[in-house]
Amino acid sequence: MIVSSALPREVTSRLVEWSLLPDGALVTTHSSWLLPVRQASEPAMLKVARIPDERAGYRLMSWWNGSGAAKTLAASDSALLMERAAGPRSLAAMARSGHDAEACRVLCRTAAKLHAPSAPPWPELHRLDAWFQPLFDLSPSHSVLEPAARQARLLLDDQRDVRPLHGDLHHDNVLDFVDRGWLAIDPHGLVGERTFDFANIFTNPDLGDPSHPVATLPGRLEARLGVVAEETGIEAVRILDWIVAWTGLSAAWFIGDGDHASAQIDLQINALALALRG
């Protein structure tokens, strides 16, 4: 992640189009530019896509229309203007300070709002079976990924309760919006089985900051599993199956990027879930 004061052309064009004033430094990630802005004196966040995969998330944010997620103020195919989080609370800090169960419940209840039943047509989103292709591509050459690939194929062939999914729901993507409560940001924009959206909880906030482990602590997987099963009404074994599949996919991404330290966190949770699954 790079913080900069120089603004790319793609960002400045949105500033002009939507009558925005910069209100902070530009943040550049591999997938987008993010810039705090003001629109008619109101704080907001501008996000501009750097890769095509981001666009499904923008469509989903607009479709949610502020229900469980930050409200979209303006949108185009490649840019999103949304309300800006201003609250001081952090789910990652909550989890690291002995309130992990409470943080998990917030994530589950936010997901419940995002997953509220709604009839198609849905926005154009990434299909979950296509999303798993990196795992299927890498598993033949990495035996440690093979159990996850096998489990993923079984799950994807028998998806239940299919609906639009956030796709990246974790402690740093649900923020404190003060009066509006906890709201989601930065979805990948997927469509598939609802259970998938809860698997990412089990590897975080460790993937965001491995120096303060929570997810990998002894007994933490079992404790979280009980909370998520209670909050969602999903059978614990089904949640474990998706944890196995998800951690394999996440590890495949990290291995492909050469980030073996992060892959090890995924693989540690993967092994724990496989052992618990029996």
Side-chain angles (χ1 to χ4, degrees):
M1 182 174 69
I2 301 172
V3 179
S4 171
S5 58
L7 299 180
R9 175 182 53 81
E10 294 88 344
V11 174
T12 56
S13 65
R14 297 303 174 191
L15 295 179
V16 173
E17 180 182 0
W18 291 336
S19 301
L20 307 174
L21 293 175
D23 192 38
L26 178 77
V27 175
T28 302
T29 71
H30 80 283
S31 60
S32 60
W33 291 289
L34 297 101
L35 181 68
V37 296
R38 288 189 174 269
Q39 185 182 54
S41 79
E42 291 298 318
M45 183 65 71
L46 175 64
K47 188 173 184 184
V48 180
R50 300 184 68 205
I51 60 173
D53 278 352
E54 279 285 289
R55 295 172 180 176
Y58 297 0
R59 290 191 288 270
L60 186 55
M61 286 289 285
S62 297
W63 184 76
W64 277 328
N65 195 29
S67 179
K71 188 179 300 181
T72 297
L73 305 176
S76 71
D77 186 51
S78 60
L80 184 76
L81 181 68
M82 59 186 175
E83 63 179 316
R84 195 196 313 173
R89 297 176 298 171
S90 157
L91 292 182
M94 188 184 297
R96 294 183 182 116
S97 61
H99 302 283
D100 185 56
E102 183 181 350
C104 287
R105 292 187 190 281
V106 169
L107 287 162
C108 289
R109 292 170 187 178
T110 302
K113 295 175 184 176
L114 302 178
H115 296 163
S118 55
W122 296 327
E124 183 183 351
L125 304 169
H126 302 292
R127 289 187 5 249
L128 198 53
D129 54 351
W131 201 246
F132 269 87
Q133 194 58 47
L135 171 61
F136 302 142
D137 290 343
L138 206 59
S139 58
S141 59
H142 292 75
S143 60
V144 71
L145 300 177
E146 289 178 356
R150 286 195 299 270
Q151 186 63 68
R153 288 190 175 93
L154 291 172
L155 291 168
L156 293 167
D157 286 342
D158 180 34
Q159 294 190 63
R160 308 168 187 175
D161 201 4
V162 172
R163 60 189 63 203
L165 304 175
H166 185 286
D168 197 23
L169 194 71
H170 58 74
H171 301 68
D172 293 323
N173 276 346
V174 174
L175 305 182
D176 177 11
F177 281 76
V178 193
D179 293 343
R180 295 241 296 133
W182 296 100
L183 299 173
I185 61 166
D186 293 352
H188 284 317
L190 312 181
V191 60
E193 180 172 332
R194 176 174 72 105
T195 314
F196 172 82
D197 250 356
F198 300 100
N200 206 357
I201 295 173
F202 292 84
T203 55
N204 279 287
D206 297 33
L207 288 177
D209 182 1
S211 67
H212 296 89
V214 177
T216 54
L217 294 177
R220 185 60 58 194
L221 174 63
E222 294 88 337
R224 288 176 157 189
L225 184 63
V227 171
V228 175
E230 178 186 349
E231 286 286 330
T232 64
I234 301 170
E235 293 181 355
V237 67
R238 189 73 177 181
I239 299 170
L240 283 170
D241 287 346
W242 277 105
I243 293 171
V244 170
W246 155 250
T247 50
L249 173 60
S250 182
W253 285 333
F254 285 127
I255 291 169
D257 290 341
D259 185 350
H260 296 283
S262 295
Q264 280 304 122
I265 294 173
D266 280 317
L267 293 173
Q268 185 175 348
I269 300 298
N270 181 272
L272 290 170
L274 282 167
L276 198 56
R277 178 69 175 86

